[in-house]
Amino acid sequence: MISKRITALLAGATALPLLLAACGDSGDSPSASGGDVSSLTVLDYYNNEPDNALVQKGLDGCATKLGISIQRETVPGDTLIQKVLQQASSKTLPDVLMLDNPDVQQIAATGALAPLNDMGVTAEGFAQGIVDAGSYDGKLYGLAPVVNTIALFYNTQMLTEAGVQPPKTWDELKAAAKKLTKPGRYGIAFNANATYEGAWQFLPAMWTNGGDETDLTSPQVTEALQLWTDLVQSGSASKSVVNWTQGDAKDQFAAGKAAMMVNGPWQIPSLQSTPAVKWGVVQFPVNKAGQTPVAPLGGEAWTVPLNKDQAKQQKAADFVKCLTSDENELTWAKARFTVPTRTALLDTYVKNVPSMAAFTEQVKNARSRTGKLGEKWPDAAKVIYQAVQLALTGKASPQDAFKQASGG
């Protein structure tokens, strides 16, 4: 799911690299192997149900396999990085640390994390976007057992009644959204608010069209913003999308007030609680024939902070390796409507959870948000959501919005 960013927390923290360099140093811990490895501490932000219990079950399973116990702490998602900084300062970081995947590179850049490659953990068999998300400066620092992305949900009954097929191109998307719009109902709902979540929802259009965060003034990016603008200006999407969250878009769809929506599989449990709404999912449409749908990669990676106790650090790496085993990935994916990260598991997964077929296909070509810009990604994301706001509120044309948002 889209992350709570750490940019503001990092701003002004000039001593952060020095602070985190010894993050796993508990002061009196042994400096070599031979320490107590019977227990590991774990920190994550899965503090809400059902994720909390489902993740706990997976963690307990790996603890049993390794013959250890775990002391787990969960915190709200928007406080995790602040907690990490506090623990780094007091040299009390956990043995195993979960991070939202866009945050891995920023933390790894400080020297806080141990390279997993050095401890026998590899990313062999994982999709490239997943490897990119967990890597920094050529080394692997985090691995995700499961991931998510976003695609296009559609109300099957509404499309059937309107004689509309699930759209595969932008022209088809605009035509379908227009035909599906009627009093009390919009053709499509999406989130275009002034947050990183709004930038995240814009990425399928931008990346699928060949746009790139390294050049936000390119024609491909402008065309993507024109698509968003056309949907709003035509009345096919509400002007309120500039304020909506992904949860708001889901609420509109579940209430029958939107025939389609851009959203992620974490909304499926909620949709299942409204059985009157019949729905399907397809990959995000392409602008031109021959393009490949590309969406952002969401989900959390498990990392190992540096630790003077090398035996405990190795045990933590073994724990991360267990979390990304075939068995654990499939169990978590099925239970949590997420996608396994080992590509060899995807066909089996889709057979067992057919409702995840489109998301699974979308993940194969999904991209890490930090894959090209690394630590600089938050700056680009801010320009993206500001430009989207400018265009959708009529304060700038799609051609000028990105220049204006970047101060050009």
Side-chain angles (χ1 to χ4, degrees):
M1 207 173 295
I2 184 65
S3 67
K4 301 292 185 180
R5 302 303 310 155
I6 70 175
T7 313
L9 288 168
L10 294 181
T14 56
L16 186 61
L18 292 176
L19 177 68
L20 291 182
C23 70
D25 178 3
S26 60
D28 298 325
S29 60
S31 59
S33 60
D36 178 18
V37 295
S38 63
S39 177
L40 294 176
T41 54
V42 179
L43 176 64
D44 64 77
Y45 61 44
Y46 297 115
N47 65 327
N48 295 317
E49 298 299 345
D51 270 346
N52 182 32
L54 293 171
V55 169
Q56 184 69 56
K57 186 176 180 179
L59 298 176
D60 288 342
C62 282
T64 299
K65 287 183 179 180
L66 295 177
I68 61 172
S69 62
I70 57 171
Q71 283 74 52
R72 179 188 177 205
E73 181 180 6
T74 63
V75 297
D78 58 357
T79 68
L80 176 65
I81 295 302
Q82 183 176 8
K83 180 79 170 181
V84 169
L85 299 182
Q86 292 170 345
Q87 291 183 333
S89 178
S90 59
K91 299 181 181 179
T92 57
L93 268 177
D95 301 310
V96 179
L97 172 64
M98 185 226 72
L99 292 169
D100 197 12
N101 80 73
D103 296 338
V104 172
Q105 293 191 8
Q106 297 195 44
I107 299 300
T110 69
L113 305 176
L116 297 178
N117 316 77
D118 297 346
M119 296 175 288
V121 182
T122 73
E124 183 178 356
F126 288 74
Q128 189 58 48
I130 294 158
V131 179
D132 291 343
S135 299
Y136 175 76
D137 201 21
K139 291 192 174 184
L140 182 70
Y141 289 93
L143 270 182
V146 291
V147 290
N148 59 60
T149 187
I150 46 180
L152 185 70
F153 285 81
Y154 61 93
N155 185 305
T156 55
Q157 182 177 352
M158 291 179 183
L159 266 67
T160 298
E161 291 175 350
V164 172
Q165 294 296 316
K168 296 181 179 179
T169 68
W170 290 6
D171 284 343
E172 290 177 1
L173 178 64
K174 289 190 287 187
K178 185 175 182 179
K179 191 170 184 180
L180 290 162
T181 298
K182 58 189 301 186
R185 184 180 81 193
Y186 288 99
I188 188 170
F190 54 90
N191 159 20
N193 66 18
T195 71
Y196 293 101
E197 195 174 273
W200 150 273
Q201 283 239 319
F202 180 71
L203 292 178
M206 184 175 92
W207 283 347
T208 295
N209 198 41
D212 196 303
E213 56 270 31
T214 63
D215 182 8
L216 291 172
T217 60
S218 72
Q220 292 86 353
V221 177
T222 298
E223 289 173 354
L225 186 51
Q226 187 68 59
L227 171 65
W228 252 214
T229 305
D230 288 346
L231 289 169
V232 172
Q233 289 185 347
S234 67
S236 298
S238 171
K239 293 181 179 179
S240 297
V241 297
V242 296
N243 297 314
W244 283 354
T245 65
Q246 291 179 127
D248 294 330
K250 180 268 298 180
D251 290 343
Q252 294 290 315
F253 184 80
K257 296 180 180 180
M260 299 182 289
M261 70 169 175
V262 179
N263 228 314
W266 54 87
Q267 306 291 8
I268 291 177
S270 177
L271 292 176
Q272 289 180 329
S273 68
T274 54
V277 177
K278 307 299 181 182
W279 50 269
V281 187
V282 292
Q283 292 191 78
F284 192 83
V286 301
N287 184 17
K288 304 170 185 176
Q291 291 180 333
T292 299
V294 181
L297 189 69
E300 294 77 24
W302 295 84
T303 71
V304 177
L306 286 173
N307 196 320
K308 278 188 175 181
D309 186 340
Q310 294 179 16
K312 178 158 281 195
Q313 183 174 284
Q314 180 62 55
K315 185 64 70 172
D318 294 341
F319 190 80
V320 171
K321 187 174 183 179
C322 176
L323 292 178
T324 56
S325 67
D326 289 5
E327 179 184 0
N328 202 61
E329 286 200 10
L330 283 172
T331 299
W332 270 3
K334 292 175 185 177
R336 300 175 56 215
F337 291 99
T338 47
V339 180
T341 50
R342 293 181 180 271
T343 57
L345 302 177
L346 298 182
D347 288 344
T348 298
Y349 176 61
V350 171
K351 288 179 182 178
N352 287 305
V353 193
S355 63
M356 288 294 292
F359 290 110
T360 301
E361 194 65 28
Q362 191 86 73
V363 161
K364 292 179 181 178
N365 296 298
R367 276 178 48 187
S368 162
R369 282 157 279 174
T370 55
K372 292 196 174 184
L373 293 180
E375 305 160 72
K376 296 181 180 179
W377 160 252
D379 296 330
K382 185 176 181 180
V383 173
I384 290 171
Y385 70 67
Q386 288 179 338
V388 171
Q389 287 273 305
L390 288 169
L392 297 191
T393 56
K395 295 178 181 178
S397 67
Q399 291 76 20
D400 295 332
F402 280 96
K403 292 180 181 178
Q404 191 171 323
S406 59

